[in-house]
Amino acid sequence: MRKRIKIILAVLISCLVIGGLVYQFTGVKTFFNKDILSTAQIKKNIGSKTIKTRATKQKKLTAAYQAKLDSGDYTSANPYVKVNPYGTSPLSALVVFKTDSAVKVSVEVVGKTAKTSIKSNVETSYQKNHTISVLGLYADYQNKVKLTLTDKDGHKTVKTLTIKTAALPEAIQSMSLKVTKNDKTKMSIGDSNLTFLVRSTQYPVGVDADGQIRWYSTNYVQHIFKVLSNGHLLYLTKPDNADLVYNDLVETDFMGRVYQEYKFSTETKSNESANSKDETTIIHHDAIELPNHNLLLTVSDGGSKYVEDTMVEISRKTGKVVKVIDLKKLLPAKLYKEYKATKRADGKLDWFHQNSIDYDTSDDSIVISSRSQDTIMKLDYQTGKIKWIFSSKAASKWPARYRKLLLKAADAQTTFTGGQHAATIWATNETDQKQLVLFNNNIAISNGDKKTSGQYSEGVSYLIDETNKTIKKTWSYGKTLGKTNFSNVIGSNRKMTNGNYLIDFGFNNAGKTSHIVEVDPTTNQQVFNLTFTNFGAKGYAYRAERFALYSSNYHFKL
């Protein structure tokens, strides 16, 4: 018996010694830390699953529209038209009709000015049954909508509909959207692109080059607003706009039809204010679609001490968590155990504050942004190993094993970031070089540049040599705008298909104004300037995105 006790004690002592050595040499504490939760516990805390609440409610509507089509009562000369067919997208309409011969249909919502028409080839095959999605209508307006029917011989017939829409709700009417620059010949507009203001709370809206609202949802949305590979929308919302918890992740479309819903535990939640009376959420900043079509989300782990430092991959089909990445298990324990840069009223530590994820298809990795550490990292998605770290924190302050991962500035003009947001990674012509695009808030939280902190914010592009671990700033815009456009929180910088950059200075004038600009990097001149004010409490533009209403991968079908 004594021998057995000695063996047990020896094993325990060995564990303590090994754990101490691991912490000493790697900075990652792995033993006997009750605040580091197991993967199983995090999965339980997230508690995700699929539900069918919205989709079930919509089944009757879809069946009714199918019955209209099947009836044969509606032709191209006299189609059935339903504005806001699913009740959440008032500037959309469904047009249903039959034709005697097979035709393809294209749609155009006629714009009020040049280059503001919304166009799409909504049907890519010849058919006799037609369910046409009409997107990009003006509010409170007699919209002219042209349907072009093309038969197999190439003959075209144009039918023009007049579709009347309702006025905007008061909360959106009261917003001020002022465009002072819109060079439509240089903007990245396409046939159906809008600039979407992704709100920190409240209704998301899409505006054209004139600043006219051409799409909005009657659902409140927080932070997450993405177009998926199938052309559907993914956004974070509530069961009801009056609720305090943003807890429903919904796969829908611009028409408002719901295809999938994901529900999360109501117990695991947090917010930026740390005030229990404010709106809370479990998914706090970002979500992306992985190549396997599952969803990767930024979450809190549900523990009592740390927030916003975990990612979970959920199954697109079941909603269950299939992978957990706890950043506390990848980074030096000092970063979270000794973090003092910011404080929360609830006593929890927001030591990492992850605010973005992007996926690099070239090497199955993800790039993530940490506001609290003024740091951007690249992780191998399968192994979780860190590939590189972009941080101004001195190499000597990192444990030895991390030093070889640090990117070194290629020249004196390459500045480091502070409190940055919305980091994305892009391929270049060289396999070992990548472009990193982000919004640099330029506010030093723990490692940022204290000399320039608070003086300006900027959209930035870097070139990273992943082999030699160097980074070089190749373009930036915002420094000349100074404090007027300084945004101490939120913001984004998106690379457009034509090479322009769409920058959201989201939190200007103490959070009373969002400035959205599109910049031509060859001249560093603005080609679009939108000032967004009167948006209500916390309704500023968290991000600005340029999305197409019509995707080549999506065609509405009943």
Side-chain angles (χ1 to χ4, degrees), residues 490-504:
I490 68 175
S492 59
N493 178 28
R494 298 307 199 200
K495 185 178 179 180
M496 302 288 95
T497 55
N498 67 352
N500 288 353
Y501 292 91
L502 184 69
I503 310 173
D504 170 33

Side-chain angles (χ1 to χ4, degrees), residues 297-331:
L297 319 173
T298 59
V299 298
S300 295
D301 63 13
S304 60
K305 190 165 186 178
Y306 302 107
V307 296
E308 301 192 4
D309 60 4
T310 305
M311 288 173 279
V312 294
E313 177 185 340
I314 65 169
S315 165
R316 188 77 164 270
K317 293 181 179 179
T318 68
K320 298 295 184 183
V321 175
V322 297
K323 184 182 180 74
V324 173
I325 301 175
D326 184 349
L327 293 164
K328 295 185 291 297
K329 297 176 182 178
L330 298 180
L331 288 164

Side-chain angles (χ1 to χ4, degrees), residues 482-553:
K483 289 187 177 182
T484 300
N485 281 53
F486 170 67
S487 183
N488 66 314
V489 295
I490 68 175
S492 59
N493 178 28
R494 298 307 199 200
K495 185 178 179 180
M496 302 288 95
T497 55
N498 67 352
N500 288 353
Y501 292 91
L502 184 69
I503 310 173
D504 170 33
F505 299 90
F507 198 87
N508 299 155
N509 188 23
K512 297 176 183 176
T513 306
S514 294
H515 287 109
I516 294 92
V517 300
E518 182 178 348
V519 179
D520 179 348
T522 62
T523 62
N524 250 18
Q525 296 298 308
Q526 294 183 15
V527 298
F528 177 67
N529 185 306
L530 170 66
T531 301
F532 180 35
T533 55
N534 290 347
F535 37 62
K538 299 182 182 179
Y540 31 71
Y542 165 66
R543 285 178 179 167
E545 307 281 8
R546 185 70 57 75
F547 293 142
L549 286 173
Y550 290 100
S551 165
S552 60
N553 296 330

Side-chain angles (χ1 to χ4, degrees), residues 112-390:
K112 295 180 179 179
T113 65
K115 295 185 180 295
T116 57
S117 292
I118 303 294
K119 304 174 185 178
S120 176
N121 296 318
V122 290
E123 291 181 341
T124 55
S125 61
Y126 297 99
Q127 53 201 69
K128 295 182 179 181
N129 295 336
H130 308 278
T131 52
I132 307 301
S133 59
V134 178
L135 303 170
L137 299 169
Y138 292 96
D140 195 17
Y141 189 66
Q142 299 280 358
N143 291 268
K144 299 298 180 185
V145 178
K146 294 181 180 179
L147 302 180
T148 300
L149 286 62
T150 305
D151 65 21
K152 293 180 180 179
D153 295 325
H155 299 134
K156 297 180 183 296
T157 304
V158 178
K159 304 291 182 181
T160 300
L161 308 177
T162 300
I163 300 180
K164 177 69 171 70
T165 50
L168 295 168
E170 185 177 346
I172 295 182
Q173 276 194 44
S174 62
M175 298 186 326
S176 174
L177 295 158
K178 185 178 180 181
V179 171
T180 56
K181 178 79 174 180
N182 61 348
D183 187 340
K184 298 172 187 177
T185 63
K186 295 180 180 179
M187 291 176 63
S188 181
I189 297 176
D191 287 333
S192 68
N193 287 359
L194 298 179
T195 301
F196 287 89
L197 307 182
V198 182
R199 315 286 292 283
S200 285
T201 59
Q202 303 180 26
Y203 307 111
V205 299
V207 302
D208 64 17
D210 294 337
Q212 291 283 305
I213 294 174
R214 307 289 294 274
W215 183 90
Y216 72 94
S217 173
T218 57
N219 288 330
Y220 276 14
V221 169
Q222 185 181 79
H223 289 168
I224 311 299
F225 190 89
K226 296 287 181 76
V227 173
L228 301 171
S229 60
N230 59 7
H232 291 171
L233 274 177
L234 182 75
Y235 63 61
L236 183 67
T237 187
K238 310 176 183 183
D240 184 271
N241 286 348
D243 293 339
L244 283 179
V245 182
Y246 280 91
N247 206 40
D248 291 2
L249 191 63
V250 176
E251 181 180 343
T252 180
D253 60 21
F254 286 110
M255 295 270 283
R257 185 176 182 181
V258 173
Y259 300 91
Q260 188 67 285
E261 304 165 74
Y262 305 93
K263 194 79 173 179
F264 300 82
S265 169
T266 56
E267 299 301 316
T268 303
K269 57 191 178 185
S270 63
N271 58 24
E272 299 300 307
S273 69
N275 185 338
S276 60
K277 295 181 180 180
D278 285 348
E279 292 164 324
T280 60
T281 180
I282 192 169
I283 307 169
H284 52 81
H285 277 84
D286 209 357
I288 63 168
E289 180 183 14
L290 295 168
N292 64 2
H293 303 298
N294 284 352
L295 303 173
L296 183 61
L297 319 173
T298 59
V299 298
S300 295
D301 63 13
S304 60
K305 190 165 186 178
Y306 302 107
V307 296
E308 301 192 4
D309 60 4
T310 305
M311 288 173 279
V312 294
E313 177 185 340
I314 65 169
S315 165
R316 188 77 164 270
K317 293 181 179 179
T318 68
K320 298 295 184 183
V321 175
V322 297
K323 184 182 180 74
V324 173
I325 301 175
D326 184 349
L327 293 164
K328 295 185 291 297
K329 297 176 182 178
L330 298 180
L331 288 164
K334 268 190 173 184
L335 294 185
Y336 55 87
K337 291 182 71 68
E338 300 177 13
Y339 180 75
K340 297 178 181 178
T342 60
K343 295 185 182 301
R344 288 173 57 96
D346 58 6
K348 292 186 177 183
L349 294 179
D350 189 11
W351 70 278
F352 195 81
H353 194 102
Q354 184 183 351
N355 56 34
S356 72
I357 326 171
D358 195 35
Y359 185 85
D360 188 342
T361 57
S362 70
D363 59 358
D364 189 23
S365 62
I366 55 173
V367 171
I368 64 175
S369 167
S370 164
R371 171 179 163 81
S372 292
Q373 296 296 327
D374 306 307
T375 294
I376 299 159
M377 301 164 49
K378 190 176 192 182
L379 310 177
D380 183 293
Y381 189 66
Q382 295 305 319
T383 66
K385 290 183 179 179
I386 301 171
K387 292 197 167 190
W388 51 253
I389 300 170
F390 179 38

